[in-house]
Amino acid sequence: FGLMTYDPGYTNTSSCISRVTYIDGEKGILEYRGYPIEQLAEKSSFMEVAYLLLNGELPKKDELSGWEEEIHHHTVVHENIKRQMESFRYDAHPMGMIISTVAALSTFYPEAKNVRCAENRRLQIKRLIAKVPTIAAFTFRHSQGHPYVYPNNKLSYTENFLTMMFRMVGNDYEPNPAIVKALDVLFTLHADHEQNCSASVMRAIGSSEADPYSAWAGAAAALYGPLHGGANEAVLRMLNEIGDVSKVPEYMKKCKNGELRLMGFGHRVYKNYDPRARIIKKCADDVFEVTGRNPLLDVALELERIALEDEYFVKRKLYPNVDFYSGLIYQAIGLPVTMFPVLFAIPRTIGWLAQWAESLEDKEQRIQRPRQVFLGERERDYVAMDQR
Ligand code: CMC
C-alpha cells in the first residue's frame, strides 16, 4: 500500500499524546493521572476523581468543596428539555433518549461553539457533568411512566442520581449508604479508559471544533454499541438466556466455534485480567449483602471459571472485562438492563471531557482525517441508462 500505513481498527496507531490515563495491558495496570485505580476506588470519591482527571492533580479540601458546589449549580435542565423528553415513546431505549437530549442541549447553549476559549470550555464541562445524571434519571422515570424528580443539591453526586431515579411521590427515599458507595466506586472505575472507541469519537468530533454537547452525543452513540459500553446490557441478556449453571458448557461451545461472542470477555488492550473487573467483583459482594445475592452470579462465576481454564480463551488472552460483573450489581440495585449503558455514559462523561479539552489545548492536533487504501474501480466512462 505504498508509504501509507494500513491499520484497520487502529491497533498500532497512536492518534494523540495524552497525560490523562495510562494502561499497561500486559500487566493489567490502570492509572488516572498516575494514581492506581485500586487506590482511587478504595480511598477516593467520584467527584474527587473527576477533578483529578480534568485538572491533573487531586483537589485540596476547599478545592473539592468548591468543585462540588459548582457542579450543583448546573444540575437543573431547562423545562423545554423535560417537555422534549416527554414526547419519546414509553418504550424508547434510554440511550436513544439521552443521546438525542444531550445533543439538543447544544441549542440551549449556543455559546458552547466557542471551543477555543478555555473559560467557556470549563463552563460547558461543568454543565455537562451536572446535567447528564439529571437527564439519565429522567430517561428511567419516563420508561416507568413516573413523574421526573428534580435534582436535590444538598445531596452528593451519586446520592442525588439515585434519588432522582427512585424517589416516589409521598415517600422520603434515602439511598442505602452501601449502595451509594458501590455506585460511586463503579462511577470511578468507568471514568476514563484512554483511547477507547467513544473517547476517540469525542476527540474526532472535537477536532472539527463542534460544540461539546454534539461531541458528547457522538461519543455516547459509539459507547452504545454491544462491543463497547453496550456490553454490560448484552452480558445480562446473555446470563438470562443461559439461565442456569448446567447450560454454561453448551453456551461456551457456541462461543468457541464462532457462533457467539462471550459478552463481557476480551479487550483490545488488556491481555491480562482487567483490574476494574477485579474491583467490581468485590463491590458486588458488598451490594449483595444489602440487596440479596443475584442468582445469575453463579452463572457468571461458572462462565469465568471455565473460560480461565479453556484453551480457546487462554490462547487468545480473553479475560473478564469491566462489563462482565457490573450489570449484576445494577440489576441488584433495581435497574432495568436498558439503563446499563447509561450508567456507563454518566461517569465516562469525565474522560470524554478531559480528553476533549486536552486535544483542544494540544497545538499539534489537527482535524482528524485518516487516509484510505483505495481498491475500487477507476477512470470509467459514464454509461447511459439504456445501455446498462
Ligand atoms: N468471545 C469469544 N471470542 C472472542 C471474544 C469473545 N468475547 N473476544 C475476542 N474473541 C476472539 C476473536 O474471535 C478473535 O479470535 P481469532 O483470532 O480466532 O479470530 C480473537 O479473540 C481476537 O479478537 P478481536 O475481535 O480481534 O479483538 P479486538 O481487540 O478487535 O476486540 C473486543 C476487542 C472487546 C471488541 C472483543 O474482545 C469483544 O467483542 N468482546 C465482547 C464484547 C465486550 O465485552 N466488550 C466490552 C469491552 S471492555 C469495555 C468497553 O470497552 O466498553
Side-chain angles (χ1 to χ4, degrees):
F1 302 121
L3 291 176
M4 204 80 75
T5 312
Y6 174 54
D7 184 12
Y10 309 125
T11 56
N12 195 32
T13 298
S14 299
S15 61
C16 62
I17 289 174
S18 184
R19 292 179 172 79
V20 183
T21 291
Y22 173 79
I23 303 176
D24 183 330
E26 293 299 326
K27 294 191 183 135
I29 291 173
L30 169 61
E31 294 168 359
Y32 294 162
R33 300 282 188 182
Y35 294 101
I37 193 67
E38 292 79 5
Q39 290 184 26
L40 292 171
E42 190 191 332
K43 298 177 182 171
S44 191
S45 70
F46 175 64
M47 272 291 99
E48 202 182 334
V49 165
Y51 184 102
L52 169 71
L53 283 166
L54 287 157
N55 299 292
E57 296 298 335
L58 286 166
K60 296 191 182 86
K61 205 171 170 198
D62 57 330
E63 286 170 333
L64 179 60
S65 53
W67 164 241
E68 286 172 331
E69 211 170 291
E70 284 183 288
I71 297 299
H72 276 150
H73 185 73
H74 294 288
T75 49
V76 174
V77 293
H78 194 288
E79 281 295 293
N80 285 354
I81 282 284
K82 199 181 119 201
R83 281 187 206 110
Q84 184 182 323
M85 292 189 72
E86 281 162 359
S87 68
F88 283 112
R89 271 174 64 119
Y90 71 97
D91 60 351
H93 195 288
M95 275 304 271
M97 285 194 260
I98 197 168
I99 288 168
S100 40
T101 306
V102 173
L105 278 183
S106 72
T107 65
F108 288 77
Y109 305 111
E111 79 281 7
K113 285 193 184 78
N114 185 10
V115 297
R116 285 282 153 211
C117 169
E119 199 185 328
N120 183 41
R121 279 203 301 271
R122 278 193 291 276
L123 172 63
Q124 309 312 328
I125 284 173
K126 283 182 270 188
R127 279 195 179 132
L128 265 161
I129 295 169
K131 292 183 200 306
V132 163
T134 308
I135 296 170
F138 283 11
T139 68
F140 175 66
R141 305 291 294 196
H142 183 82
S143 68
Q144 303 292 300
H146 291 145
Y148 301 171
V149 175
Y150 290 118
N152 176 350
N153 290 336
K154 291 196 188 90
L155 303 175
S156 76
Y157 193 82
T158 314
E159 276 176 316
N160 192 17
F161 173 63
L162 284 166
T163 306
M164 289 188 288
M165 293 283 291
F166 294 122
R167 208 189 70 206
M168 287 295 164
V169 177
N171 81 13
D172 290 327
Y173 168 83
E174 272 182 34
N176 184 304
I179 304 283
V180 174
K181 174 67 193 155
L183 193 59
D184 209 73
V185 170
L186 282 169
F187 279 180
T188 294
L189 299 179
H190 285 86
D192 192 37
H193 214 233
E194 55 119 301
Q195 303 318 310
N196 54 79
C197 180
S198 55
S200 302
V201 170
M202 186 84 192
R203 282 182 182 263
I205 300 178
S207 79
S208 76
E209 301 196 357
D211 70 86
Y213 302 96
S214 304
W216 187 102
L223 185 80
Y224 189 9
L227 299 191
H228 190 10
N232 54 15
E233 180 177 344
V235 168
L236 238 287
R237 292 190 190 284
M238 173 186 79
L239 296 177
N240 270 321
E241 190 190 326
I242 299 172
D244 189 81
V245 170
S246 63
K247 304 268 171 51
V248 167
E250 190 188 319
Y251 196 88
M252 291 294 259
K253 215 182 275 172
K254 289 186 187 159
C255 293
K256 291 196 289 179
N257 68 23
E259 256 178 85
L260 296 167
R261 284 212 156 192
L262 181 56
M263 299 314 286
F265 258 73
H267 198 274
R268 171 64 59 77
V269 186
Y270 290 124
K271 299 302 168 198
N272 200 321
Y273 212 97
D274 181 337
R276 301 168 299 174
R278 193 172 278 125
I279 302 168
I280 289 181
K281 227 172 147 181
K282 224 173 110 242
C283 199
D285 292 336
D286 301 339
V287 170
F288 296 159
E289 251 179 52
V290 178
T291 62
R293 201 165 186 277
N294 189 330
L296 289 175
L297 178 64
D298 292 328
V299 178
L301 288 170
E302 182 64 359
L303 281 169
E304 180 182 341
R305 190 189 65 76
I306 297 184
L308 293 184
E309 289 173 359
D310 189 287
E311 200 206 328
Y312 174 94
F313 292 90
V314 173
K315 209 173 96 194
R316 290 170 179 77
K317 300 185 177 174
L318 302 171
Y319 292 90
N321 58 49
V322 70
D323 295 312
F324 194 63
Y325 287 104
S326 60
L328 289 169
I329 304 181
Y330 298 145
Q331 195 179 50
I333 294 176
L335 293 161
V337 287
T338 51
M339 277 302 284
F340 295 1
V342 174
L343 270 282
F344 197 149
I346 296 169
R348 188 52 64 85
T349 298
I350 306 297
W352 292 335
L353 290 169
Q355 297 205 40
W356 170 73
E358 184 181 58
S359 68
L360 286 165
E361 282 155 19
D362 183 346
K363 301 265 182 297
E364 283 179 14
Q365 276 301 325
R366 303 159 72 187
I367 187 164
Q368 288 201 16
R369 207 303 183 189
R371 301 301 307 273
Q372 64 175 5
V373 176
F374 182 75
L375 294 178
E377 302 283 352
R378 289 214 46 225
E379 296 186 353
R380 298 205 278 182
D381 286 326
Y382 181 78
V383 182
M385 189 71 79
D386 60 358
Q387 284 163 33
R388 287 174 210 166

